[in-house]
Amino acid sequence: MNFSWARIKESVLTFWNRLSSPQKIITVLAPLIVAGALIYLITWAGRPQYVALFTKLSDTEAGAITTKLKDLKADYKLEDNGSTIMVPQQTAADLRLQLASAGLPQQSKFSFDSLDTMRLGETDADRKLRYVLGLQNELENTLKTLNGVEDARVHIVMPEPSLFVDSQKAATAAVTLKLVPSTKLGEDQVRAIANLLAGSIEGLQPENVTIVDTGGNVLSDVLKESTDPQKLTGTQYQLKQTVEEDTRKSLQSMLDRVLGSGKTIVRINAVLDFDQKKIVKQINGPGAVVSEQNSNESSTNGAAGAAGGTPGLDANGAPTYPATPEQNSTSTKATSTKNYQVDTTQEEQVVSPGSVKRLSVSVMADEDSVTQEQLEQIKTILASAAGVDANRGDDIQVAAIPFNKSDLQNELSAMEDAKKRQQLLTYAEIGAAALLGLIILIAFLRKRARKKRAEKMLELNSSEPVSLATAELLMAQQKAEEEAELQLSQKHAKSADELQRQKTKEAVELYSRNNPDEAARLVKTWLSEEK
């Protein structure tokens, strides 16, 4: 087969002229896009992948490392405002070893490792200073591991011990935190940091720890506020909210089931007792007899008569005594002793904090939904369901007032409009799908009809050879039909038959003016076929 540049060029031009405008654009753009994608992939694959060599570096450390990398003629780039140094992945391990041998990054901070060796001429004060500096460094490293903390600095003040207790000063500590952007430490986290320092430093109390951030905010104020008896801590406030919300949901769900959703509004206010109480009771019973002792004592006394009475004188002047009769005496003594052991019962009760001290329930109902009799019933039922205790000072209020339904009506209208728009959109999608199907069906039928007409035309001229003018007439008719299909897809107002007839008529008229003889012969042939 003979190949020549002229024939190849003619073939290419013939192929190019047969293409439509969209096909020409695709033929040109497709190779360009593929070539561009290949070039990008090759460039991306050949680009070195960077990894972090060091992160969170100070300005001094970053400057020293970059200077050494320049001396080594190593490729690097900076990120995170110069605190992170990125190097190619294939050279990262080698560069890290070379920098380590050069003592980079330099560690200017003291560590506990420096306490393992004794230094010549070092005093106890010097060793204590090294211990404090090492402790500061260790605490800083520990604080950096906390979530939300990017960097930390710790300063410890440990006063010298004093012989007098009154003169002894307490240890203090100050912490500066650099937080991750858009991060805020909670009260529990601040308290945890204070307790961490208090547990690591001898003699340090949590209230002597000052914690600030790089924005100048004093975070340790929550430690002092938590000791205020009138202030609720985060846990206590959360417990209060939990009690109120659980009670509200219970009452609201019950009212919604009876009166319907949106007909009532329930609010709860609970006062909780967070004081921990210890109650000790001692009860004394009647007791029991432990020991009993009884004793009886009896005695009898007797005496003979003797001279007595009032003395007198006889005739001779001698004193005389009158006679006294004989006398006896008896005495009895009884003693009884009982020892009792008193019964004692001691009760110790610890009341946990968090009990409900006072409960207030407020309920508003739509005036159109309830009657006055129903309000009284609702008040009684809600008081029982919420555990309202009048002796405790609890209060419950139920009122019927007209609700403002304009917002509700607006919401209902908006929902109805959205539903209608969704229905219209669904109908539009169905209509578009039906129209697309109809267009496809019309195109298929027209293609089929065009094929039949071509076959009929070939049968009509089978007895004689088809001239070049006849072929041009067929091509013009086919082109007119293709343009008719294109306009049919763009303009749905005209029907397919009208557009086809119009295009066919224009093509036949044009051909008849250019080839009158061939047109006359074709007309004669068609007339003879009809006869």
Side-chain angles (χ1 to χ4, degrees), residues 2 44 58 145 176 205 284 343 387:
N2 186 18
W44 178 81
S58 63
T145 61
T176 304
Q205 299 298 324
N284 297 325
D343 293 338

Side-chain angles (χ1 to χ4, degrees), residues 322-334:
T324 303
E326 184 177 356
Q327 296 180 353
N328 294 324
S329 62
T330 302
S331 62
T332 301
K333 182 179 181 182

Side-chain angles (χ1 to χ4, degrees), residues 109-120 122-138:
K109 298 180 179 179
F110 288 86
S111 175
F112 279 153
D113 297 336
S114 61
L115 298 178
D116 296 338
T117 58
M118 294 294 296
R119 298 180 180 180
L120 184 63
E122 184 180 41
T123 63
D124 291 341
D126 297 336
R127 187 171 180 82
K128 183 178 179 180
L129 177 60
R130 285 201 296 149
Y131 170 78
V132 173
L133 296 176
L135 181 59
Q136 290 180 171
N137 185 30
E138 295 297 327

Side-chain angles (χ1 to χ4, degrees), residues 253-260:
S253 62
M254 182 172 59
L255 292 174
D256 290 344
R257 291 289 299 273
V258 176
L259 302 178

Side-chain angles (χ1 to χ4, degrees), residues 148-153 176-180 212-214:
V149 178
E150 183 176 342
D151 196 5
R153 293 298 303 271
T176 304
L177 300 177
K178 182 181 180 181
L179 303 179
V180 176
V212 299
D213 60 8
T214 52

Side-chain angles (χ1 to χ4, degrees), residues 38-103:
L38 290 176
I39 294 173
Y40 175 77
L41 289 176
I42 294 172
T43 306
W44 178 81
R47 184 185 305 170
Q49 184 177 2
Y50 285 82
V51 296
L53 184 64
F54 297 107
T55 59
K56 297 181 179 180
L57 296 174
S58 63
D59 295 340
T60 304
E61 294 174 344
I65 293 174
T66 53
T67 301
K68 184 63 177 179
L69 291 176
K70 291 178 181 178
D71 295 339
L72 296 174
K73 297 182 179 180
D75 187 16
Y76 71 92
K77 61 180 181 179
L78 301 177
E79 292 186 357
D80 297 335
N81 296 326
S83 61
T84 301
I85 299 178
M86 308 289 291
V87 297
Q89 186 177 9
Q90 59 269 21
T91 61
D94 185 40
L95 290 176
R96 189 176 287 108
L97 292 177
Q98 294 185 34
L99 292 174
S101 62

Side-chain angles (χ1 to χ4, degrees), residues 185-355:
L185 297 182
E187 181 180 344
D188 295 338
Q189 292 173 303
V190 175
R191 187 176 291 105
I193 294 175
N195 290 332
L196 173 65
L197 268 69
S200 303
I201 303 172
E202 182 181 1
L204 178 63
Q205 299 298 324
E207 56 269 16
N208 293 332
V209 178
T210 302
I211 304 174
V212 299
D213 60 8
T214 52
N217 301 316
V218 182
L219 306 179
S220 56
D221 286 344
V222 297
L223 302 176
K224 300 177 182 179
E225 293 176 356
S226 61
T227 58
D228 187 2
Q230 303 297 329
K231 180 179 176 61
L232 294 180
T233 63
T235 304
Q236 293 174 351
Y237 184 73
Q238 185 178 4
L239 178 59
K240 180 178 181 295
Q241 281 188 324
T242 302
V243 172
E244 293 176 349
E245 186 63 18
D246 291 345
T247 307
R248 188 197 67 80
K249 288 182 178 180
S250 177
L251 301 182
Q252 187 69 64
S253 62
M254 182 172 59
L255 292 174
D256 290 344
R257 291 289 299 273
V258 176
L259 302 178
S261 178
K263 302 296 183 180
T264 56
I265 300 175
V266 180
R267 292 294 181 267
I268 305 297
N269 182 26
V271 179
L272 303 184
D273 188 4
F274 294 104
D275 296 335
Q276 186 174 5
K277 300 178 181 178
K278 183 177 180 180
I279 302 174
V280 180
K281 295 181 180 180
Q282 183 173 350
I283 303 174
N284 297 325
V289 178
V290 178
S291 61
E292 182 177 1
Q293 181 179 0
N294 296 321
S295 61
N296 293 323
E297 182 178 353
S298 177
S299 60
T300 303
N301 295 325
T310 302
L313 296 176
D314 56 7
N316 296 320
T320 60
Y321 295 92
T324 303
E326 184 177 356
Q327 296 180 353
N328 294 324
S329 62
T330 302
S331 62
T332 301
K333 182 179 181 182
T335 305
S336 178
T337 304
K338 292 183 179 182
N339 295 326
Y340 292 89
Q341 179 65 42
V342 178
D343 293 338
T344 303
T345 302
Q346 186 172 353
E347 296 181 356
E348 184 173 342
Q349 180 182 4
V350 178
V351 180
S352 300
S355 60

